[in-house]
Amino acid sequence: MPEARLSFAEHYHERTKYAPETLARKSQGLDWNTQPSPYKDYKIGTRYDLKPYLTEEIQSDRDGLLASRWRRLSRLLFCSYGLTARVPTVTGEDFYLRAAPSAGGLYPAEVYLISAGTPLLSAGIYNYQVRTHSLIHFWLDSNVWGDLQKACFGHPTLQNTSMAIAITAVFQRSAWRYQDRAYRRIFLDTGHLLGNIELASSIEDYQSYLIGGFDDEAVNELLFLDKQVEGAIAIVPIVDLQDEERTGRGQESREPLPRSLNMPKGLMTALPSPVVSSYPQIPDGELLPYLHQATQIAEMPKQRAILEPVSPIEPQSDRGNKPDLDKYNFPFCSKVSTATESIHWGDDLEMLENTILQRRSTREYSGTKLELAELKAILDFTYQPQHYTDQGFDGSPDYFDLSLIETFVAVTGVEDLEEGCYYYAPKSQELRQIRFKNFREELHYLCLGQELGRDAGAVIFHTADLQKAVTKYGDRVYRYLHMDAGHLGQRLNLAAIGLGVGVSGIAGFFDDLVNEVLGIPNDEAVLYITTLGRPR
């Protein structure tokens, strides 16, 4: 019988939890002969090679501006999802890593460009061919932009730009290995990609926005997707801040630019779907497609027709006398300020670009302690984007709704920081100790016996009250929560790598044991784990 009190998103979350007594049953051997290709091919279409613009100098003749635009677009896509390393394998076939991390190196996301018609790209739809770093124009349509606007319920950012990135998921690429739980990993992976797009946009003088609420069926049809295989999961309008007609600035300006047309961030970013609370008994192996269908939107939700912008992290200076909205502010909590000097990412954000392209997940930690200053700087870059506007960053990047995400830090090896579990309060910029013990053995066990959990100096957890989240956004919130957790995870990744700290994300863990170690209620869903340590 169905569990009527649970939405299907909650039901899915409970069904896909890992537990010591069931992990072996949920595991299955991998048939390498059936692994899906991580690349999508098109037999027809006009191909635009973007590789020359990664290395060639910008021309100084009358075509220089056009060449500059191609270079910026090429770099945006390459820093977002391009191939960044080649790894030989025992089979003799090379395996390629990408700029955005992916669980198991499976890369379920596909990236498309939708153009209303620009000096570079004719109106239509383009697929980013990762393997060759090129765009293939597979559909020419002068009405495509109007169709996109309609599918996104007239989202205001689409009225003021002419280019958008559409991100889809090819579900079987991840489900081949991770089965039903793959849905979690797909959206965490997409969050990594969204983090790269946001930061690469800052590097190349674009402004990225985020749309998670759209008519799924309409966008899938727009992109000519086989909905049994692939589905749209995010739309990212891209505003060119070097467009002289829009900003009045020359292409050489690297000063912080005002937000184009003062479009508010967070407006209509996340829309609710219905709550599916009546459903049949779904067998293992079919939970993923059922959840994806349950999280779809078919029309603009009437109760959310007028939406207020979502402020992800309200700067301390703007809070005035408002009460502290951060949780876990117990009188007995010892509190450690995380206020710190911001990471400097170099002239023209060159250090950030190099960090994105050189990022690798750490495989082993030495167990040597981290510095408290390092942990503070990593948290600052991740949760305090307003501190980086003077370097050219977007001070208020789009998330779906960060107010739903909570952050905890288990400390086992950080100089000048007592061992134990802490709640991170982003508004107050402080760590609040809520448990007093070294949890190294427990962390090793709950991370499925991975030594990364044992040898890390700090382990960061993202959680959410799933019932509260479903009440606000319906079952679709399951997408939003995991993409936001992945987005935060990518900023943690890049800050750590930039400081020479090892970092690795973990999406496979014993769910309920995390709640036990952190001392948080069982209905707080664990979304993602990021380990930080000294690389071996």
Side-chain angles (χ1 to χ4, degrees), residues 421-471:
C421 290
Y422 294 77
Y423 171 73
Y424 175 63
K427 299 181 181 68
S428 302
Q429 297 183 51
E430 61 188 17
L431 288 166
R432 299 171 179 169
Q433 190 169 13
I434 57 175
R435 302 206 74 185
F436 303 82
K437 177 186 173 182
N438 185 315
F439 289 95
R440 189 179 298 276
E441 290 185 10
E442 291 87 343
L443 294 170
H444 184 208
Y445 185 58
L446 68 83
C447 290
L448 309 187
Q450 296 183 67
E451 295 181 353
L452 291 170
R454 182 194 66 195
D455 298 334
V459 180
I460 298 175
F461 300 85
H462 290 123
T463 71
D465 183 331
L466 187 52
Q467 185 178 43
K468 174 185 173 182
V470 168
T471 300

Coordinates of all heavy atoms in Angstrom, one line a residue, residues 421-471:
C421 N 31.2 18.5 16.1 CA 30.3 18.9 15.0 C 29.8 20.3 15.2 O 29.4 20.7 16.3 CB 29.1 17.9 14.9 SG 29.5 16.3 14.4
Y422 N 29.8 21.1 14.1 CA 29.4 22.5 14.2 C 28.3 22.7 13.2 O 28.2 22.1 12.1 CB 30.6 23.4 13.8 CG 31.7 23.3 14.8 CD1 32.6 22.3 14.8 CD2 31.9 24.4 15.7 CE1 33.7 22.3 15.7 CE2 33.0 24.4 16.5 CZ 33.9 23.3 16.5 OH 35.0 23.3 17.4
Y423 N 27.4 23.6 13.6 CA 26.4 24.2 12.6 C 27.0 25.5 12.1 O 27.5 26.3 12.8 CB 25.1 24.5 13.3 CG 24.1 25.3 12.5 CD1 23.5 24.6 11.4 CD2 23.9 26.6 12.7 CE1 22.6 25.4 10.6 CE2 23.0 27.3 11.9 CZ 22.3 26.7 10.9 OH 21.5 27.4 10.1
Y424 N 27.0 25.6 10.7 CA 27.6 26.8 10.1 C 26.4 27.8 9.9 O 25.4 27.5 9.2 CB 28.3 26.6 8.8 CG 28.7 27.8 8.1 CD1 29.6 28.7 8.7 CD2 28.2 28.2 6.9 CE1 30.0 29.9 8.1 CE2 28.5 29.4 6.2 CZ 29.5 30.2 6.8 OH 29.8 31.4 6.2
A425 N 26.5 29.0 10.5 CA 25.4 30.0 10.4 C 25.9 31.0 9.4 O 26.7 31.9 9.7 CB 25.2 30.6 11.7
P426 N 25.4 31.0 8.1 CA 26.0 31.9 7.1 C 25.6 33.3 7.3 O 26.4 34.2 7.0 CB 25.4 31.4 5.8 CG 24.1 30.6 6.2 CD 24.5 30.0 7.6
K427 N 24.4 33.6 7.9 CA 24.0 35.0 8.1 C 24.9 35.7 9.2 O 25.3 36.8 9.1 CB 22.6 35.1 8.5 CG 21.6 34.6 7.4 CD 20.2 34.7 7.8 CE 19.2 34.1 6.8 NZ 19.3 32.7 6.7
S428 N 25.2 34.9 10.2 CA 26.0 35.4 11.3 C 27.5 35.2 11.1 O 28.3 35.7 11.8 CB 25.6 34.7 12.6 OG 24.2 34.9 12.9
Q429 N 27.8 34.4 10.1 CA 29.2 34.1 9.7 C 30.0 33.5 11.0 O 30.9 34.1 11.4 CB 29.9 35.3 9.2 CG 29.4 35.8 7.9 CD 30.1 37.0 7.3 OE1 31.4 36.9 7.2 NE2 29.4 38.1 7.0
E430 N 29.4 32.4 11.4 CA 30.1 31.7 12.6 C 29.8 30.2 12.6 O 28.8 29.8 12.0 CB 29.7 32.4 13.9 CG 28.2 32.3 14.2 CD 27.8 33.1 15.4 OE1 28.6 34.0 15.8 OE2 26.7 32.8 16.0
L431 N 30.7 29.5 13.2 CA 30.5 28.1 13.4 C 30.0 27.9 14.9 O 30.6 28.5 15.8 CB 31.8 27.3 13.2 CG 32.3 27.2 11.8 CD1 33.8 26.7 11.8 CD2 31.4 26.2 11.0
R432 N 29.0 27.1 15.1 CA 28.4 26.9 16.4 C 28.5 25.5 16.8 O 27.9 24.6 16.1 CB 26.9 27.4 16.4 CG 26.8 28.8 16.1 CD 25.3 29.2 15.9 NE 25.1 30.6 15.6 CZ 24.0 31.1 15.2 NH1 22.9 30.4 15.0 NH2 23.9 32.4 14.9
Q433 N 29.3 25.2 17.8 CA 29.6 23.8 18.1 C 28.3 23.2 18.8 O 27.8 23.7 19.8 CB 30.8 23.7 19.1 CG 31.2 22.2 19.3 CD 32.6 22.1 20.0 OE1 33.0 23.1 20.5 NE2 33.2 21.0 20.0
I434 N 27.9 22.0 18.2 CA 26.7 21.4 18.8 C 26.9 20.0 19.3 O 26.1 19.4 20.0 CB 25.6 21.3 17.7 CG1 26.0 20.6 16.5 CG2 25.0 22.7 17.4 CD1 24.9 20.4 15.4
R435 N 28.1 19.4 19.0 CA 28.5 18.1 19.5 C 30.0 18.2 19.8 O 30.8 18.8 19.1 CB 28.2 17.0 18.6 CG 26.7 16.9 18.2 CD 26.3 15.5 17.8 NE 26.2 14.6 19.0 CZ 25.9 13.3 19.0 NH1 25.8 12.7 17.8 NH2 25.8 12.6 20.0
F436 N 30.4 17.5 20.9 CA 31.7 17.6 21.4 C 32.4 16.2 21.4 O 32.4 15.5 22.4 CB 31.7 18.2 22.8 CG 31.0 19.5 22.9 CD1 29.6 19.6 23.0 CD2 31.8 20.7 22.9 CE1 29.0 20.8 23.0 CE2 31.1 21.9 22.9 CZ 29.7 22.0 23.0
K437 N 33.0 15.8 20.3 CA 33.6 14.5 20.2 C 34.3 14.4 18.9 O 34.0 15.1 17.9 CB 32.5 13.4 20.3 CG 33.1 12.0 20.1 CD 32.0 10.9 20.1 CE 32.5 9.6 19.8 NZ 31.5 8.5 19.6
N438 N 35.4 13.6 18.8 CA 36.0 13.3 17.6 C 35.3 12.2 16.9 O 35.3 11.0 17.5 CB 37.5 12.9 17.8 CG 38.3 12.7 16.5 OD1 37.8 12.1 15.6 ND2 39.5 13.3 16.4
F439 N 34.7 12.4 15.8 CA 33.8 11.4 15.1 C 34.5 10.8 13.9 O 33.9 10.3 13.0 CB 32.5 12.1 14.6 CG 31.6 12.5 15.7 CD1 31.6 13.8 16.2 CD2 30.7 11.6 16.2 CE1 30.7 14.1 17.2 CE2 29.8 11.9 17.2 CZ 29.8 13.2 17.7
R440 N 35.9 10.7 14.0 CA 36.6 10.1 12.9 C 36.2 8.7 12.5 O 35.9 8.4 11.3 CB 38.1 10.1 13.2 CG 39.0 9.8 12.0 CD 40.5 9.9 12.3 NE 40.9 11.2 12.7 CZ 41.2 12.2 11.9 NH1 41.1 12.0 10.6 NH2 41.6 13.3 12.4
E441 N 36.0 7.8 13.5 CA 35.6 6.5 13.2 C 34.2 6.4 12.6 O 33.9 5.7 11.6 CB 35.7 5.6 14.4 CG 37.1 5.3 14.9 CD 37.1 4.4 16.1 OE1 36.0 3.8 16.4 OE2 38.2 4.2 16.7
E442 N 33.3 7.2 13.1 CA 31.9 7.2 12.6 C 31.9 7.8 11.2 O 31.1 7.3 10.3 CB 31.0 8.1 13.5 CG 30.8 7.5 14.9 CD 31.8 7.8 15.9 OE1 32.9 8.2 15.5 OE2 31.5 7.6 17.1
L443 N 32.7 8.8 10.9 CA 32.7 9.4 9.6 C 33.3 8.4 8.6 O 32.8 8.3 7.4 CB 33.6 10.7 9.6 CG 33.1 11.8 10.4 CD1 34.2 12.9 10.5 CD2 31.8 12.4 9.7
H444 N 34.3 7.6 9.0 CA 34.8 6.6 8.1 C 33.7 5.6 7.7 O 33.5 5.2 6.6 CB 35.9 5.9 8.8 CG 36.6 4.8 8.0 ND1 37.3 3.7 8.5 CD2 36.8 4.7 6.6 CE1 37.8 3.0 7.6 NE2 37.5 3.6 6.4
Y445 N 32.9 5.2 8.7 CA 31.9 4.2 8.5 C 30.7 4.7 7.7 O 30.3 4.1 6.7 CB 31.4 3.7 9.9 CG 30.4 2.5 9.8 CD1 30.7 1.3 9.1 CD2 29.1 2.6 10.3 CE1 29.8 0.3 9.1 CE2 28.2 1.6 10.3 CZ 28.6 0.4 9.6 OH 27.7 -0.6 9.6
L446 N 30.2 5.9 8.0 CA 29.0 6.4 7.3 C 29.3 6.8 5.9 O 28.4 6.9 5.1 CB 28.4 7.6 8.1 CG 29.1 8.9 8.2 CD1 28.9 9.8 7.0 CD2 28.7 9.6 9.5
C447 N 30.6 7.0 5.6 CA 31.0 7.3 4.2 C 31.3 6.0 3.4 O 32.1 5.9 2.5 CB 32.2 8.2 4.1 SG 31.9 9.9 4.6
L448 N 30.6 4.9 3.9 CA 30.7 3.6 3.2 C 32.1 3.0 3.3 O 32.6 2.3 2.4 CB 30.2 3.6 1.8 CG 28.9 4.2 1.5 CD1 28.5 4.0 0.1 CD2 27.8 3.7 2.4
G449 N 32.8 3.4 4.4 CA 34.2 2.8 4.6 C 35.2 3.5 3.7 O 36.4 3.0 3.7
Q450 N 34.9 4.7 3.1 CA 35.9 5.4 2.3 C 36.9 6.1 3.2 O 36.5 6.8 4.2 CB 35.2 6.4 1.4 CG 34.3 5.8 0.4 CD 33.7 6.8 -0.5 OE1 34.4 7.5 -1.3 NE2 32.4 7.0 -0.4
E451 N 38.2 5.9 2.9 CA 39.2 6.5 3.8 C 39.2 8.0 3.7 O 39.7 8.7 4.6 CB 40.6 6.0 3.4 CG 40.7 4.5 3.6 CD 42.1 3.9 3.3 OE1 42.9 4.7 2.7 OE2 42.4 2.8 3.6
L452 N 38.6 8.6 2.7 CA 38.4 10.0 2.6 C 37.7 10.6 3.9 O 38.0 11.6 4.4 CB 37.7 10.4 1.4 CG 38.4 10.2 0.0 CD1 37.4 10.4 -1.1 CD2 39.6 11.2 -0.1
G453 N 36.6 9.8 4.3 CA 35.9 10.3 5.5 C 36.8 10.1 6.7 O 36.6 11.0 7.7
R454 N 37.6 9.1 6.8 CA 38.4 8.9 8.0 C 39.6 9.9 8.1 O 39.9 10.4 9.2 CB 39.0 7.5 7.9 CG 39.9 7.1 9.1 CD 40.7 5.9 8.8 NE 41.7 6.1 7.8 CZ 42.3 5.1 7.1 NH1 42.0 3.9 7.4 NH2 43.2 5.4 6.2
D455 N 40.2 10.2 7.0 CA 41.5 11.0 7.0 C 41.3 12.5 6.7 O 42.2 13.3 6.8 CB 42.4 10.5 5.9 CG 42.8 9.0 6.2 OD1 42.8 8.6 7.4 OD2 43.2 8.3 5.2
A456 N 40.0 12.9 6.4 CA 39.8 14.4 6.2 C 39.9 15.1 7.5 O 39.8 14.6 8.6 CB 38.3 14.5 5.7
G457 N 40.3 16.4 7.4 CA 40.3 17.3 8.5 C 39.0 17.9 8.9 O 38.7 18.2 10.1
A458 N 38.1 18.0 7.9 CA 36.8 18.6 8.1 C 35.8 17.9 7.0 O 36.2 17.8 5.9 CB 36.7 20.1 8.0
V459 N 34.6 17.6 7.5 CA 33.6 17.0 6.6 C 32.4 17.9 6.6 O 31.8 18.2 7.7 CB 33.3 15.6 6.9 CG1 32.3 15.0 6.0 CG2 34.6 14.7 7.0
I460 N 32.0 18.4 5.5 CA 30.9 19.4 5.4 C 29.6 18.6 4.9 O 29.7 17.9 3.9 CB 31.2 20.6 4.5 CG1 32.4 21.3 5.0 CG2 30.0 21.5 4.3 CD1 32.9 22.4 4.2
F461 N 28.5 18.8 5.6 CA 27.3 18.2 5.2 C 26.2 19.2 4.8 O 26.1 20.3 5.5 CB 26.7 17.4 6.4 CG 27.6 16.3 6.9 CD1 28.6 16.6 7.8 CD2 27.4 15.0 6.5 CE1 29.5 15.6 8.3 CE2 28.3 14.0 6.9 CZ 29.3 14.3 7.8
H462 N 25.5 19.0 3.8 CA 24.3 19.8 3.4 C 23.1 19.0 3.6 O 23.0 17.8 3.2 CB 24.4 20.2 1.9 CG 25.5 21.2 1.7 ND1 26.5 21.0 0.8 CD2 25.7 22.4 2.3 CE1 27.3 22.1 0.8 NE2 26.9 22.9 1.7
T463 N 22.1 19.6 4.4 CA 20.9 18.9 4.7 C 19.7 19.8 4.4 O 19.9 21.0 4.2 CB 20.9 18.4 6.2 OG1 20.7 19.6 7.0 CG2 22.1 17.7 6.6
A464 N 18.5 19.2 4.5 CA 17.3 20.0 4.3 C 16.1 19.3 5.0 O 16.0 18.1 5.0 CB 17.0 20.2 2.8
D465 N 15.2 20.1 5.5 CA 13.9 19.6 6.0 C 13.1 19.3 4.8 O 12.5 20.2 4.3 CB 13.3 20.6 7.0 CG 12.0 20.1 7.6 OD1 11.3 19.3 7.0 OD2 11.7 20.6 8.7
L466 N 13.0 18.0 4.4 CA 12.4 17.7 3.2 C 10.9 18.0 3.2 O 10.3 18.4 2.2 CB 12.7 16.2 2.8 CG 12.2 15.8 1.4 CD1 12.7 16.7 0.3 CD2 12.7 14.3 1.2
Q467 N 10.2 17.7 4.3 CA 8.8 17.9 4.4 C 8.5 19.4 4.3 O 7.5 19.8 3.5 CB 8.2 17.4 5.7 CG 6.7 17.5 5.8 CD 6.2 16.9 7.2 OE1 6.8 17.1 8.2 NE2 5.1 16.1 7.1
K468 N 9.2 20.2 4.9 CA 9.0 21.7 4.8 C 9.3 22.1 3.4 O 8.5 23.0 2.8 CB 10.0 22.4 5.8 CG 10.0 23.9 5.6 CD 11.1 24.5 6.5 CE 11.3 26.0 6.3 NZ 12.4 26.6 7.1
A469 N 10.3 21.6 2.7 CA 10.6 22.0 1.4 C 9.5 21.6 0.4 O 9.2 22.3 -0.5 CB 12.0 21.4 1.0
V470 N 9.0 20.4 0.6 CA 7.9 19.9 -0.3 C 6.7 20.7 -0.1 O 6.0 21.1 -1.1 CB 7.6 18.4 0.0 CG1 6.3 18.0 -0.7 CG2 8.8 17.5 -0.5
T471 N 6.4 21.2 1.1 CA 5.3 22.0 1.4 C 5.4 23.3 0.6 O 4.4 23.9 0.1 CB 5.1 22.4 2.9 OG1 5.0 21.1 3.6 CG2 4.0 23.3 3.1

